[in-house]
C-alpha cells in the first residue's frame, strides 16, 4: 500500500510541475508578445521590412505553446505510467497466448507422428 501512495504522490507532484511550467510559459508568451509588439510599433524595430515580423514571431510562439499545452493536458494525461503498464501487460498476455498455441500445435504434431 505504501508503494501505491508514494507512486500517486510522485505522479501528482510531476503533474503539478508540468502545469506550473505550462502556466509560466503562458505568462512568458503574453509578456514576450507584448514586448515584440511594443518593439515593433513604438521603437521601430524591423521598419525596413515590408512584412510585420512581430506577427510571425507571435504566431510561431503561439504554435509552440499549443504543442506544449497538448503535451501537458492531453498526451501526458492519458499516456502515463498506468497506461504503459496496461499496454505491457496486454502485450505480454498476447505473447504468452501465442506461445501456448504454438506449444499445443507442436504437441499435437508430435502425437500424430507417434
Amino acid at each position: 500500500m505504501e508503494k501505491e501512495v508514494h507512486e500517486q504522490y510522485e505522479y501528482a507532484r510531476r503533474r503539478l510541475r508540468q502545469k506550473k511550467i505550462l502556466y509560466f510559459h503562458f505568462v512568458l508568451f503574453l509578456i514576450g508578445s507584448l514586448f515584440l509588439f511594443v518593439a515593433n510599433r513604438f521603437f521601430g524595430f524591423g521598419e525596413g521590412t515590408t512584412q510585420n515580423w512581430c506577427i510571425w514571431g507571435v504566431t510561431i510562439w503561439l504554435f509552440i505553446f499549443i504543442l506544449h499545452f497538448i503535451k501537458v493536458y492531453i498526451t501526458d494525461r492519458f499516456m502515463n505510467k498506468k497506461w504503459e503498464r496496461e499496454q505491457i501487460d496486454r502485450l505480454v498476455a498476447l505473447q504468452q497466448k501465442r506461445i501456448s498455441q504454438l506449444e499445443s500445435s507442436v504437441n499435437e504434431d508430435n502425437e500424430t507422428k507417434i
Side-chain angles (χ1 to χ4, degrees), residues 8-93:
Q8 289 174 348
Y9 173 77
E10 286 298 319
Y11 174 75
R13 192 170 66 86
R14 189 175 62 252
R15 291 287 297 155
L16 182 63
R17 187 174 190 296
Q18 285 178 334
K19 289 179 181 181
K20 185 178 176 182
I21 292 172
L22 180 69
Y23 296 149
F24 178 76
H25 187 183
F26 180 69
V27 170
L28 188 67
F29 167 72
L30 290 178
I31 293 171
S33 299
L34 181 65
F35 174 75
L36 290 175
F37 177 76
V38 168
N40 188 33
R41 296 283 183 204
F42 299 114
F43 294 118
F45 288 110
E47 280 184 355
T49 62
T50 57
Q51 293 180 345
N52 198 353
W53 64 271
C54 118
I55 298 299
W56 282 104
V58 170
T59 303
I60 291 169
W61 199 350
L62 178 64
F63 179 72
I64 293 169
F65 175 75
I66 290 171
L67 290 177
H68 189 182
F69 180 86
I70 289 170
K71 180 184 181 310
V72 170
Y73 279 102
I74 297 173
T75 307
D76 285 352
R77 184 175 184 185
F78 296 111
M79 294 183 180
N80 53 21
K81 292 289 184 185
K82 181 181 176 185
W83 179 83
E84 287 178 13
R85 279 190 219 119
E86 289 172 357
Q87 294 301 312
I88 289 171
D89 291 343
R90 185 179 64 81
L91 291 173
V92 167

Side-chain angles (χ1 to χ4, degrees), residues 78-109:
F78 296 111
M79 294 183 180
N80 53 21
K81 292 289 184 185
K82 181 181 176 185
W83 179 83
E84 287 178 13
R85 279 190 219 119
E86 289 172 357
Q87 294 301 312
I88 289 171
D89 291 343
R90 185 179 64 81
L91 291 173
V92 167
L94 285 172
Q95 288 174 347
Q96 288 175 347
K97 180 180 176 184
R98 181 69 180 146
I99 289 170
S100 66
Q101 287 175 347
L102 289 173
E103 285 176 348
S104 66
S105 173
V106 168
N107 288 339
E108 286 176 7
D109 287 345

